[in-house]
Amino acid sequence: MVDCTIKVDQPRAVPKMSSAEVIGMRDVAAPLASGLEGVVVAETRLSEVDGERGRLTLAGHDVEELAGGGGVTFEDACGLLWGGALPGAAERESLRRAIAEGRTRAFALLGRLGDALQAGDGMDAIRAAVAHLSGDVPPAAIAGAVATFAAAWARRCAGEAPVAPDPALRLSADYLRMARGAAASEAEARELDTYLVTVSDHGMNASTFTARVVTSTGSDAISAVVAAIGALKGPLHGGAPGPVLDMLDAVAAKAGEGGAPAPGCAERWIQAELAAGRRIMGMGHRIYRVRDPRAAVLERAIERLERTAGGARSARLALAREVERAAEAALSARHPDRPLRANVEFYTAVLLDALGLPRALFAPTFAVGRVAGWCAHIDEQRRAGRLIRPSSRYIGGVPRAAAPPH
Ligand code: COA
């Protein structure tokens, strides 16, 4: 059931206005919802975020069940979001082929992207590269292109030539292969699938909303995806996992014997960051008031990956857990009324690092997964057919001609 409750920010205190300013009064009376919390702008069959109970439903499936390591692939998530149900074997294969064909076509375009992939930032690079596609490209082609451009950008940064896609592989295995230049094991491909499925959609998040706003104007799918990539780039949305890894490195730099953090060192580092007025990346969420369920899914994926690699639990996972505990305690002391717990980005950083992806590629890899949701929302928004056009409250000056005579 869609929650139709409209909650709004407390109306802002309005300064006393002169008679010349009263022309804006009708707007002042409307409530201000600057972050749009609780404002319902669409009905969707795609996903629901239950922030109180910490649940994410993806088209009728609980995320912990869907992405819990049971072999659901990125292509399955695309089938679910684009078609409304998990695909059967034949449909799964046809989606796999269509997305692989998208990778092959995108790879053929690499020489015609100008300096798009020269950008220093991976999100700038994929945004510019996707912008070279034109008009209403089908979702499978867009998904294949985002993965190909992201991997080619990573190769360029490493000073290596791009790796051509292998159309016989599913996206997860081929993406790891193209980005790293080395084939992925089945366990690695499976856990990248876990990640991509987990992040494939998430309610009316900022990038999805952006895609829907652009679509609502009647614009094309590529314009909507390009705008969504721009929204996802921000550190408050998809740009957090790189900085999460920087944080873990900074704490590890103060490590004690055997790479384990010295007692209290995570706490001290967190306190120093907060004292400097900085946010702890990977912590807090606009909707969740408990731990983000996706953090648990990804934490288990890291454990599985480490078990199949035959090694002991990595120092990094242990460190991440310790930093999470320290951050949660410090944030709860500072904000006793506002639960700020680990979000998806926290363990994204550890998982993608364990999969051998460079940290600069973390945000683009988020886009590789989220593009499945964007494409589904673009289709849904088109069907809704309603221009999204909210209002603003004017607090600027009044034109001279409109001012009443003294
Ligand atoms: N570290 C430190 N303080 C934080 C914090 C964090 N990660 N997240 C929120 N806070 C603080 C805010 O500074 C604010 O404090 P104040 O009331 O003293 O000003 C208070 O908690 C409420 O935060 P608010 O900005 O209202 O929360 P939000 O719903 O707008 O923000 C996020 C949600 C995700 C943007 C925010 O938690 C954040 O910046 N997290 C870090 C970035 C991140 O991990 N992004 C990925 C999201 S999936």
Side-chain angles (χ1 to χ4, degrees), residues 35 37 202 234-241 244 273-274 277-289 292 294 327 331 334-335 338-346 366:
E37 296 98 319
H202 199 243
L236 300 190
H237 189 5
V244 167
E273 285 294 288
L274 292 174
R278 287 189 284 270
R279 291 190 175 201
I280 309 303
M281 292 291 121
M283 301 296 296
H285 197 273
R286 172 57 64 83
I287 307 287
Y288 291 118
R289 292 296 171 266
D292 184 335
R294 299 168 300 172
L331 289 169
R334 278 190 171 232
H335 301 279
R338 173 78 163 88
L340 295 166
R341 312 266 319 259
N343 62 49
V344 66
E345 311 285 30
F346 199 90
F366 192 168

Side-chain angles (χ1 to χ4, degrees), residues 86-98:
L86 281 171
E91 199 196 334
R92 178 191 237 202
E93 177 54 14
S94 107
L95 268 167
R96 193 200 61 71
R97 280 174 195 265

